[in-house]
Amino acid sequence: MAENRASDYPEGTPCWVDAQLPDVAAGRRFYGELFGWTFEDQPQGTVRALKDGEPVASLAHKTDGRLPTVWTVSFATPDAEALCRRIRVGGGQIVSPPARFGDLGVTALVTDREGAVFALWQAGESRGFGRRHEPGTFAWVQLYTRDTETADTFYGGLFHDALFGPDADPDFGRAPVSDVFAAEMPPHFLVHFAVEDPEAGMREAARLGGRVQVPPFETSYGAAAVVTDNQGASFALLHR
């Protein structure tokens, strides 16, 4: 279901995605054509992507070439410091401690017990997605992990209400790494963007300089295809 402007997202809800890219200008061209995004400048050299005038993602320059070119999902929290403490207790690690991002909010970068990287977002002026669950916007995030029981325990403890509460309608699932990717692939999150036709979206991504990783396949949450952009960042195209 499309949403115009989100109120505060409950803790544990995917509320933002950002890509770390070597060339932000090339990213603007790729995603602008693929999803119809427009862009505006943000603090610290990032650009915010808009769909029909509402915020849907951001692109940032990767300052260290040794870092991966990736899409990262952020989970909402009212208190990033407190959630970081719970992540440590649960066996995760803090990569970058909570830091203020201008007046927009507070962000932190963390890992789960197996090393899958994700971010936290404590809202300030920016609450997160202005639109989601419609073509060209965030639709789902899938954790690919080697130990699904460990993942269930870790995330169930952190985000119980968002995942299992009476009003839960999560945009977050998990699967063994080997379901789609080679067994040697490290645990990771895969961001999914909604499209009308994953196969057509896959062809368009390839035309724009991307690459097909996994052609369309059926999942419990829809039909998906996995691609990379023209700089190597992986993401999925999803029709539900």
Side-chain angles (χ1 to χ4, degrees):
M1 184 176 81
E3 298 175 5
N4 288 328
R5 191 61 177 164
S7 58
D8 290 350
Y9 285 102
E11 185 165 65
T13 303
C15 68
W16 196 246
V17 290
D18 66 273
Q20 300 287 321
L21 303 174
D23 187 338
V24 171
R28 290 172 68 139
R29 292 190 295 270
F30 180 90
Y31 291 102
E33 288 198 47
L34 184 63
F35 293 138
W37 291 352
T38 57
F39 299 90
E40 62 182 17
D41 291 335
Q42 290 287 284
Q44 302 179 25
T46 67
V47 296
R48 184 163 65 172
L50 308 175
K51 181 71 173 178
D52 299 328
E54 296 287 351
V56 295
S58 58
L59 310 180
H61 177 63
K62 186 174 68 170
T63 56
D64 186 337
R66 295 170 296 180
L67 296 174
T69 301
V70 293
W71 276 99
T72 301
V73 61
S74 293
F75 292 93
T77 178
D79 188 335
E81 290 278 1
L83 184 52
C84 281
R85 289 193 293 270
R86 289 160 46 208
I87 286 169
R88 287 194 190 96
V89 170
Q93 297 184 26
I94 310 306
V95 179
S96 300
R100 186 161 295 280
F101 193 73
D103 295 327
L104 298 179
V106 174
T107 184
L109 193 66
V110 301
T111 77
D112 66 15
R113 291 175 62 178
E114 289 196 297
V117 176
F118 61 101
L120 312 178
W121 183 251
Q122 178 183 324
E125 291 182 359
S126 176
R127 304 299 178 186
F129 299 124
R131 305 182 79 90
R132 58 179 182 169
H133 303 162
E134 63 183 78
T137 71
F138 171 84
W140 185 264
V141 65
Q142 188 79 343
L143 170 66
Y144 285 95
T145 178
R146 289 201 177 86
D147 187 336
T148 55
E149 289 187 8
T150 294
D152 289 347
T153 299
F154 180 84
Y155 292 99
L158 286 184
F159 304 141
H160 182 272
D161 288 349
L163 294 173
F164 306 116
D167 299 321
D169 186 18
D171 295 326
F172 172 25
R174 59 103 182 106
V177 169
S178 57
D179 274 9
V180 174
F181 298 98
E184 60 270 19
M185 175 75 75
H188 65 284
F189 283 93
L190 182 66
V191 172
H192 292 53
F193 294 103
V195 293
E196 293 289 353
D197 183 343
E199 187 164 351
M202 177 187 73
R203 291 195 298 268
E204 181 66 3
R207 184 189 71 80
L208 293 169
R211 183 171 59 86
V212 177
Q213 283 188 289
V214 184
F217 62 100
E218 291 297 325
T219 76
S220 60
Y221 51 89
V226 183
V227 300
T228 66
D229 66 16
N230 56 344
Q231 299 177 70
S234 296
F235 61 98
L237 306 169
L238 177 68
H239 178 70
R240 303 188 75 179

